[in-house]
Amino acid sequence: MSIELITILMFGGLVLMLLLGMPVAFATGGVAVIFITTLWGPHALSVVALRISGQMYQYLLFAIPLFVFLACIMERCGIIEDMFTCFMEWSGPLRGGLAIAVILTGTLLAAVMGIIGAAVVTLGIIALPTMLERKYDQKFAMGAIMAGGTLGILIPPSILFIMYALVAAESCGKLFMGGILPGLVLSALFIIYSLIRCWRNPSLGPALSKEELAKLTWKKKFLDLRGIAPPLLLIFAIFGSILTGIASITEAAGIGAFLAMMIAAVKGRLNWKNVWDASTRGVTTTAMVMWTIFGAQAFVAFYIAQGGDKFVTNLIVGTGLGPYGILAIIMGILIFLGMFIDWVGIMYLCVPIFLPIIKICGFDPLWFGVVYNVNMQISFLSPPFGYALFYLKGVAPPDTKMEDIFKAALPFIGLQLIGLVIAIRFPWLCTWLPNVVFPSGVAAP
Amino acid sequence: MKKKLKFLLSLIDATSEYTGKFYGIFLIVFLVGVITVEVIARYGFNRPIPGVHDAMTAYFGAYYLMAGAYTLLVGAHVRVDVLWMHFKPRGRAILDLITFPLFLLFMGVLVVYGWKFAMAATWSSSAGWILEFDHSFLKFPLFPLKWTIPIGGLLLLLQGIAKFVRDVHLVATRKALE
């Protein structure tokens, strides 16, 4: 069977199964099993079990349930509310100030959490009603919440970088450092956009009313700054222990999870139910991620063994475009896939195939890892399938239509695209910090 | 008959749920506790606890493999929700019935080949018990870990079959099997 036919049949079959609503883990794995059996014979199927076995000793992946656990405890212990209140008091006098507070909360949370769900859900519960009460435009408010919350997976720690590090054999510590500046650039873009929009059209996001501002004394403002102490403590503990070499990334996640429980205890929110829920969410999220990896790995391993990677390389390089033209094609494919498939599936299906092309083009693989994550930011917001959209739908007022949430995301998707272009145009944004923190010769975790 | 079927389904649900939660709760005991103690012991008192790293690595494979069935039970295996979510429960059940054979195939392969693989690491007629041990000072045998592939796959397969039975019932009678 020619590789062209295999490509069409494999991806066609996969798309069909995914459209029928089959979970990504089983659709990829099932299609792989059919092709391995027909082309290699049943005896070759042991490769599926062997692949799983190979994934079983990845200590780094242990950080995933720990970061989910940490985020879940954070979500329940009320400190996100304190953070938002604090930022709101300082930025509230500005037009669009609450949107800025949401984005700042999202940015700071992103440096503690490695996932996006907790931030979007909690901000949706806390900040959205607050903003609507103060006559914010609902779409604008929802867009800010989704965009701010999605930063969680770009600004380290990030479970996307952890998994990218394994797929691409890249240093996770370096990727973490690389994500910081692009994350801050995106955050700044969101803030500038909110300021400009609300400055030109105050009805989108009015400043806090005079009565409310009168109640806001300087003393209260300064006292409420305590609200950002717990996340700063967690950031200090997680990154302090990674950068000083005291702990591996997995251990740092464990320390963070332990501290989060201590903070919850101080806030009087540590109870069995919260701990139980957090550990259950940790195990189901990890199982979902890992089973998706099994299926996608079997799929890609077969495709590459059949020469699929060379086929795609020839197809893309054969267009005769320069490196940046090829990069544009890859980015376009990733953005398109991001509209439909979740990021775990995309990563395990695409990175093994695209990474060799990136190397042929002479790009820095570390830089591509960061750009890849910036690109994936869009996938969380782009309809019809984006995690942030569904997380927000779950907690938005019941009469909110899905179409409104889609529309709310659009301007921020535009900003993410600008951020992507910036990360490509100015590669030092992604590579300067990793190379300063981990100069060549220093082992990066 | 229906009563027996219901009992069987609830038994499968309970197995998945308690297995998933059992492995889930270890996250706290095993990780949050052990990692914190280990890092403090290593850097605070300069006395690392031997074997902790290997034990955790070995344990992680079991952690998510055994929880796959529970993840299916709570519907946390991610789908491409472009069309599926727009259907009513019965429409979703029909779609899930269409894709079920492929699921069955994948899980069947995992169970059969995972079993062969685990068996090869456990016992053979020529060499007897093949006991591979972990290299750390704990020296725990490795074969139980290899068995988590077929067992985790089997639990997931059973949970998938339970869902299949419920879907058939829903499609045929328009009533959920409670």
Side-chain angles (χ1 to χ4, degrees), chain A residues 144-183:
Chain A
I145 288 172
M146 290 188 286
T150 303
L151 288 170
I153 213 147
L154 176 58
I155 298 178
S158 148
I159 64 172
L160 192 149
F161 275 142
I162 290 173
M163 287 167 52
Y164 187 90
L166 288 173
V167 181
E170 194 62 62
S171 148
C172 187
K174 282 191 171 185
L175 286 165
F176 272 12
M177 290 303 120
I180 294 178
L181 289 181

mmCIF file of all heavy atoms in Angstrom, chain A residues 144-183:
data_model
loop_
_atom_site.group_PDB
_atom_site.id
_atom_site.type_symbol
_atom_site.label_atom_id
_atom_site.label_comp_id
_atom_site.label_asym_id
_atom_site.label_seq_id
_atom_site.Cartn_x
_atom_site.Cartn_y
_atom_site.Cartn_z
ATOM 1 N N ALA A 144 -12.059 38.222 28.416
ATOM 2 C CA ALA A 144 -10.912 38.491 29.290
ATOM 3 C C ALA A 144 -10.664 37.313 30.226
ATOM 4 O O ALA A 144 -9.515 36.927 30.465
ATOM 5 C CB ALA A 144 -11.154 39.765 30.088
ATOM 6 N N ILE A 145 -11.734 36.719 30.746
ATOM 7 C CA ILE A 145 -11.577 35.597 31.674
ATOM 8 C C ILE A 145 -10.939 34.406 30.966
ATOM 9 O O ILE A 145 -10.000 33.781 31.481
ATOM 10 C CB ILE A 145 -12.943 35.203 32.269
ATOM 11 C CG1 ILE A 145 -13.402 36.278 33.252
ATOM 12 C CG2 ILE A 145 -12.869 33.845 32.960
ATOM 13 C CD1 ILE A 145 -14.809 36.094 33.753
ATOM 14 N N MET A 146 -11.437 34.097 29.763
ATOM 15 C CA MET A 146 -10.889 32.945 29.047
ATOM 16 C C MET A 146 -9.431 33.175 28.666
ATOM 17 O O MET A 146 -8.592 32.289 28.834
ATOM 18 C CB MET A 146 -11.724 32.654 27.800
ATOM 19 C CG MET A 146 -13.097 32.117 28.131
ATOM 20 S SD MET A 146 -13.969 31.555 26.676
ATOM 21 C CE MET A 146 -14.430 33.094 25.906
ATOM 22 N N ALA A 147 -9.133 34.378 28.159
ATOM 23 C CA ALA A 147 -7.762 34.653 27.721
ATOM 24 C C ALA A 147 -6.815 34.652 28.917
ATOM 25 O O ALA A 147 -5.741 34.044 28.873
ATOM 26 C CB ALA A 147 -7.702 35.992 26.997
ATOM 27 N N GLY A 148 -7.223 35.316 30.009
ATOM 28 C CA GLY A 148 -6.369 35.370 31.196
ATOM 29 C C GLY A 148 -6.157 33.988 31.784
ATOM 30 O O GLY A 148 -5.044 33.620 32.156
ATOM 31 N N GLY A 149 -7.216 33.182 31.838
ATOM 32 C CA GLY A 149 -7.100 31.850 32.418
ATOM 33 C C GLY A 149 -6.248 30.914 31.592
ATOM 34 O O GLY A 149 -5.562 30.048 32.128
ATOM 35 N N THR A 150 -6.267 31.098 30.272
ATOM 36 C CA THR A 150 -5.537 30.192 29.386
ATOM 37 C C THR A 150 -4.028 30.366 29.502
ATOM 38 O O THR A 150 -3.269 29.458 29.168
ATOM 39 C CB THR A 150 -6.003 30.411 27.934
ATOM 40 O OG1 THR A 150 -7.411 30.207 27.900
ATOM 41 C CG2 THR A 150 -5.359 29.454 26.977
ATOM 42 N N LEU A 151 -3.591 31.531 30.016
ATOM 43 C CA LEU A 151 -2.149 31.743 30.191
ATOM 44 C C LEU A 151 -1.536 30.670 31.078
ATOM 45 O O LEU A 151 -0.332 30.428 31.031
ATOM 46 C CB LEU A 151 -1.901 33.117 30.818
ATOM 47 C CG LEU A 151 -2.142 34.312 29.905
ATOM 48 C CD1 LEU A 151 -2.090 35.594 30.713
ATOM 49 C CD2 LEU A 151 -1.111 34.344 28.803
ATOM 50 N N GLY A 152 -2.376 30.008 31.880
ATOM 51 C CA GLY A 152 -1.896 28.986 32.818
ATOM 52 C C GLY A 152 -0.989 27.950 32.192
ATOM 53 O O GLY A 152 -0.087 27.440 32.853
ATOM 54 N N ILE A 153 -1.220 27.641 30.928
ATOM 55 C CA ILE A 153 -0.449 26.549 30.344
ATOM 56 C C ILE A 153 0.752 27.059 29.559
ATOM 57 O O ILE A 153 1.591 26.290 29.126
ATOM 58 C CB ILE A 153 -1.375 25.650 29.495
ATOM 59 C CG1 ILE A 153 -0.891 24.209 29.557
ATOM 60 C CG2 ILE A 153 -1.496 26.155 28.076
ATOM 61 C CD1 ILE A 153 -1.993 23.213 29.480
ATOM 62 N N LEU A 154 0.880 28.388 29.426
ATOM 63 C CA LEU A 154 2.060 28.942 28.750
ATOM 64 C C LEU A 154 3.102 29.388 29.781
ATOM 65 O O LEU A 154 4.286 29.093 29.656
ATOM 66 C CB LEU A 154 1.648 30.123 27.860
ATOM 67 C CG LEU A 154 2.776 30.872 27.167
ATOM 68 C CD1 LEU A 154 3.590 29.946 26.283
ATOM 69 C CD2 LEU A 154 2.219 32.005 26.305
ATOM 70 N N ILE A 155 2.622 30.098 30.807
ATOM 71 C CA ILE A 155 3.550 30.538 31.848
ATOM 72 C C ILE A 155 3.834 29.355 32.764
ATOM 73 O O ILE A 155 2.910 28.680 33.200
ATOM 74 C CB ILE A 155 2.943 31.723 32.625
ATOM 75 C CG1 ILE A 155 2.724 32.902 31.670
ATOM 76 C CG2 ILE A 155 3.840 32.121 33.784
ATOM 77 C CD1 ILE A 155 2.088 34.105 32.303
ATOM 78 N N PRO A 156 5.105 29.059 33.011
ATOM 79 C CA PRO A 156 5.419 27.858 33.788
ATOM 80 C C PRO A 156 4.930 27.962 35.233
ATOM 81 O O PRO A 156 4.795 29.071 35.727
ATOM 82 C CB PRO A 156 6.942 27.822 33.749
ATOM 83 C CG PRO A 156 7.334 29.257 33.570
ATOM 84 C CD PRO A 156 6.276 29.859 32.716
ATOM 85 N N PRO A 157 4.722 26.858 35.909
ATOM 86 C CA PRO A 157 4.779 25.486 35.410
ATOM 87 C C PRO A 157 3.652 25.203 34.428
ATOM 88 O O PRO A 157 2.637 25.893 34.448
ATOM 89 C CB PRO A 157 4.616 24.658 36.670
ATOM 90 C CG PRO A 157 3.850 25.533 37.600
ATOM 91 C CD PRO A 157 4.272 26.925 37.296
ATOM 92 N N SER A 158 3.847 24.204 33.592
ATOM 93 C CA SER A 158 2.866 23.919 32.560
ATOM 94 C C SER A 158 2.936 22.447 32.207
ATOM 95 O O SER A 158 4.017 21.930 31.920
ATOM 96 C CB SER A 158 3.179 24.778 31.333
ATOM 97 O OG SER A 158 2.813 24.109 30.158
ATOM 98 N N ILE A 159 1.799 21.759 32.248
ATOM 99 C CA ILE A 159 1.860 20.338 31.916
ATOM 100 C C ILE A 159 2.073 20.143 30.417
ATOM 101 O O ILE A 159 2.567 19.112 29.995
ATOM 102 C CB ILE A 159 0.628 19.548 32.432
ATOM 103 C CG1 ILE A 159 -0.668 19.988 31.784
ATOM 104 C CG2 ILE A 159 0.510 19.637 33.934
ATOM 105 C CD1 ILE A 159 -1.821 19.064 32.158
ATOM 106 N N LEU A 160 1.751 21.179 29.613
ATOM 107 C CA LEU A 160 2.031 21.065 28.179
ATOM 108 C C LEU A 160 3.542 20.993 27.939
ATOM 109 O O LEU A 160 4.023 20.162 27.185
ATOM 110 C CB LEU A 160 1.426 22.253 27.429
ATOM 111 C CG LEU A 160 1.368 22.156 25.908
ATOM 112 C CD1 LEU A 160 0.171 22.907 25.368
ATOM 113 C CD2 LEU A 160 2.611 22.646 25.217
ATOM 114 N N PHE A 161 4.297 21.855 28.631
ATOM 115 C CA PHE A 161 5.756 21.831 28.472
ATOM 116 C C PHE A 161 6.330 20.509 28.984
ATOM 117 O O PHE A 161 7.276 19.969 28.410
ATOM 118 C CB PHE A 161 6.385 22.993 29.232
ATOM 119 C CG PHE A 161 6.407 24.283 28.453
ATOM 120 C CD1 PHE A 161 6.179 25.496 29.094
ATOM 121 C CD2 PHE A 161 6.680 24.294 27.098
ATOM 122 C CE1 PHE A 161 6.201 26.689 28.387
ATOM 123 C CE2 PHE A 161 6.709 25.487 26.378
ATOM 124 C CZ PHE A 161 6.473 26.685 27.032
ATOM 125 N N ILE A 162 5.762 19.995 30.074
ATOM 126 C CA ILE A 162 6.264 18.724 30.618
ATOM 127 C C ILE A 162 6.145 17.636 29.561
ATOM 128 O O ILE A 162 7.074 16.873 29.310
ATOM 129 C CB ILE A 162 5.479 18.346 31.891
ATOM 130 C CG1 ILE A 162 5.829 19.307 33.035
ATOM 131 C CG2 ILE A 162 5.769 16.906 32.304
ATOM 132 C CD1 ILE A 162 4.991 19.125 34.264
ATOM 133 N N MET A 163 4.984 17.585 28.908
ATOM 134 C CA MET A 163 4.788 16.541 27.916
ATOM 135 C C MET A 163 5.575 16.811 26.661
ATOM 136 O O MET A 163 6.095 15.892 26.039
ATOM 137 C CB MET A 163 3.301 16.378 27.623
ATOM 138 C CG MET A 163 2.630 15.695 28.799
ATOM 139 S SD MET A 163 0.875 15.783 28.745
ATOM 140 C CE MET A 163 0.596 15.190 27.131
ATOM 141 N N TYR A 164 5.700 18.094 26.280
ATOM 142 C CA TYR A 164 6.508 18.429 25.110
ATOM 143 C C TYR A 164 7.961 18.000 25.334
ATOM 144 O O TYR A 164 8.623 17.480 24.440
ATOM 145 C CB TYR A 164 6.441 19.931 24.815
ATOM 146 C CG TYR A 164 7.123 20.296 23.526
ATOM 147 C CD1 TYR A 164 6.417 20.299 22.336
ATOM 148 C CD2 TYR A 164 8.483 20.577 23.488
ATOM 149 C CE1 TYR A 164 7.051 20.595 21.141
ATOM 150 C CE2 TYR A 164 9.123 20.866 22.305
ATOM 151 C CZ TYR A 164 8.398 20.882 21.137
ATOM 152 O OH TYR A 164 9.032 21.155 19.956
ATOM 153 N N ALA A 165 8.428 18.213 26.572
ATOM 154 C CA ALA A 165 9.808 17.851 26.893
ATOM 155 C C ALA A 165 10.048 16.373 26.619
ATOM 156 O O ALA A 165 11.109 15.988 26.123
ATOM 157 C CB ALA A 165 10.102 18.180 28.356
ATOM 158 N N LEU A 166 9.059 15.529 26.909
ATOM 159 C CA LEU A 166 9.227 14.093 26.693
ATOM 160 C C LEU A 166 9.117 13.731 25.223
ATOM 161 O O LEU A 166 9.899 12.937 24.717
ATOM 162 C CB LEU A 166 8.192 13.317 27.505
ATOM 163 C CG LEU A 166 8.460 13.336 29.005
ATOM 164 C CD1 LEU A 166 7.314 12.710 29.754
ATOM 165 C CD2 LEU A 166 9.762 12.609 29.311
ATOM 166 N N VAL A 167 8.142 14.336 24.522
ATOM 167 C CA VAL A 167 7.959 13.997 23.106
ATOM 168 C C VAL A 167 9.174 14.433 22.299
ATOM 169 O O VAL A 167 9.643 13.711 21.420
ATOM 170 C CB VAL A 167 6.708 14.696 22.531
ATOM 171 C CG1 VAL A 167 6.526 14.324 21.070
ATOM 172 C CG2 VAL A 167 5.485 14.305 23.301
ATOM 173 N N ALA A 168 9.696 15.631 22.591
ATOM 174 C CA ALA A 168 10.745 16.198 21.751
ATOM 175 C C ALA A 168 12.129 15.993 22.342
ATOM 176 O O ALA A 168 13.105 16.480 21.780
ATOM 177 C CB ALA A 168 10.483 17.688 21.548
ATOM 178 N N ALA A 169 12.236 15.281 23.467
ATOM 179 C CA ALA A 169 13.520 15.096 24.155
ATOM 180 C C ALA A 169 14.201 16.440 24.389
ATOM 181 O O ALA A 169 15.359 16.651 24.051
ATOM 182 C CB ALA A 169 14.436 14.153 23.373
ATOM 183 N N GLU A 170 13.438 17.368 24.945
ATOM 184 C CA GLU A 170 13.933 18.721 25.200
ATOM 185 C C GLU A 170 13.993 18.888 26.725
ATOM 186 O O GLU A 170 13.339 18.149 27.460
ATOM 187 C CB GLU A 170 12.944 19.711 24.572
ATOM 188 C CG GLU A 170 13.429 21.118 24.430
ATOM 189 C CD GLU A 170 14.647 21.222 23.527
ATOM 190 O OE1 GLU A 170 14.563 20.890 22.331
ATOM 191 O OE2 GLU A 170 15.671 21.649 24.055
ATOM 192 N N SER A 171 14.767 19.862 27.198
ATOM 193 C CA SER A 171 14.843 20.077 28.643
ATOM 194 C C SER A 171 13.592 20.791 29.133
ATOM 195 O O SER A 171 13.226 21.847 28.622
ATOM 196 C CB SER A 171 16.074 20.911 28.973
ATOM 197 O OG SER A 171 15.811 21.720 30.093
ATOM 198 N N CYS A 172 12.945 20.188 30.126
ATOM 199 C CA CYS A 172 11.711 20.783 30.638
ATOM 200 C C CYS A 172 12.000 22.099 31.355
ATOM 201 O O CYS A 172 11.257 23.070 31.227
ATOM 202 C CB CYS A 172 11.028 19.798 31.579
ATOM 203 S SG CYS A 172 9.423 20.326 32.115
ATOM 204 N N GLY A 173 13.113 22.157 32.086
ATOM 205 C CA GLY A 173 13.475 23.386 32.790
ATOM 206 C C GLY A 173 13.662 24.537 31.811
ATOM 207 O O GLY A 173 13.208 25.658 32.036
ATOM 208 N N LYS A 174 14.328 24.255 30.679
ATOM 209 C CA LYS A 174 14.551 25.305 29.678
ATOM 210 C C LYS A 174 13.235 25.759 29.058
ATOM 211 O O LYS A 174 13.018 26.943 28.836
ATOM 212 C CB LYS A 174 15.489 24.791 28.587
ATOM 213 C CG LYS A 174 16.938 24.775 28.991
ATOM 214 C CD LYS A 174 17.813 24.511 27.779
ATOM 215 C CE LYS A 174 19.277 24.721 28.138
ATOM 216 N NZ LYS A 174 20.145 24.602 26.965
ATOM 217 N N LEU A 175 12.364 24.790 28.764
ATOM 218 C CA LEU A 175 11.061 25.150 28.189
ATOM 219 C C LEU A 175 10.290 26.032 29.161
ATOM 220 O O LEU A 175 9.671 27.028 28.772
ATOM 221 C CB LEU A 175 10.260 23.891 27.864
ATOM 222 C CG LEU A 175 10.702 23.075 26.652
ATOM 223 C CD1 LEU A 175 10.065 21.703 26.663
ATOM 224 C CD2 LEU A 175 10.347 23.800 25.363
ATOM 225 N N PHE A 176 10.330 25.672 30.438
ATOM 226 C CA PHE A 176 9.646 26.470 31.458
ATOM 227 C C PHE A 176 10.128 27.916 31.393
ATOM 228 O O PHE A 176 9.346 28.860 31.348
ATOM 229 C CB PHE A 176 9.935 25.904 32.855
ATOM 230 C CG PHE A 176 8.963 24.830 33.286
ATOM 231 C CD1 PHE A 176 8.096 24.253 32.390
ATOM 232 C CD2 PHE A 176 8.922 24.420 34.610
ATOM 233 C CE1 PHE A 176 7.209 23.270 32.793
ATOM 234 C CE2 PHE A 176 8.031 23.432 35.029
ATOM 235 C CZ PHE A 176 7.177 22.856 34.119
ATOM 236 N N MET A 177 11.458 28.082 31.366
ATOM 237 C CA MET A 177 12.007 29.437 31.334
ATOM 238 C C MET A 177 11.603 30.150 30.043
ATOM 239 O O MET A 177 11.306 31.340 30.041
ATOM 240 C CB MET A 177 13.539 29.383 31.441
ATOM 241 C CG MET A 177 14.035 28.946 32.801
ATOM 242 S SD MET A 177 13.401 30.018 34.105
ATOM 243 C CE MET A 177 12.506 28.876 35.109
ATOM 244 N N GLY A 178 11.572 29.384 28.939
ATOM 245 C CA GLY A 178 11.225 29.984 27.659
ATOM 246 C C GLY A 178 9.801 30.500 27.602
ATOM 247 O O GLY A 178 9.500 31.430 26.863
ATOM 248 N N GLY A 179 8.922 29.900 28.386
ATOM 249 C CA GLY A 179 7.519 30.311 28.330
ATOM 250 C C GLY A 179 7.228 31.612 29.044
ATOM 251 O O GLY A 179 6.180 32.220 28.821
ATOM 252 N N ILE A 180 8.145 32.059 29.905
ATOM 253 C CA ILE A 180 7.835 33.211 30.768
ATOM 254 C C ILE A 180 7.609 34.487 29.958
ATOM 255 O O ILE A 180 6.551 35.118 30.063
ATOM 256 C CB ILE A 180 8.956 33.414 31.814
ATOM 257 C CG1 ILE A 180 8.982 32.228 32.778
ATOM 258 C CG2 ILE A 180 8.731 34.714 32.584
ATOM 259 C CD1 ILE A 180 10.081 32.294 33.810
ATOM 260 N N LEU A 181 8.605 34.860 29.122
ATOM 261 C CA LEU A 181 8.476 36.142 28.417
ATOM 262 C C LEU A 181 7.308 36.162 27.425
ATOM 263 O O LEU A 181 6.514 37.105 27.444
ATOM 264 C CB LEU A 181 9.800 36.515 27.731
ATOM 265 C CG LEU A 181 10.929 36.918 28.698
ATOM 266 C CD1 LEU A 181 12.183 37.287 27.921
ATOM 267 C CD2 LEU A 181 10.493 38.084 29.583
ATOM 268 N N PRO A 182 7.149 35.122 26.568
ATOM 269 C CA PRO A 182 5.970 35.147 25.689
ATOM 270 C C PRO A 182 4.663 35.225 26.479
ATOM 271 O O PRO A 182 3.722 35.900 26.055
ATOM 272 C CB PRO A 182 6.066 33.825 24.917
ATOM 273 C CG PRO A 182 7.499 33.450 24.981
ATOM 274 C CD PRO A 182 8.019 33.968 26.282
ATOM 275 N N GLY A 183 4.627 34.573 27.635
ATOM 276 C CA GLY A 183 3.422 34.629 28.466
ATOM 277 C C GLY A 183 3.148 36.035 28.935
ATOM 278 O O GLY A 183 2.007 36.519 28.888
#
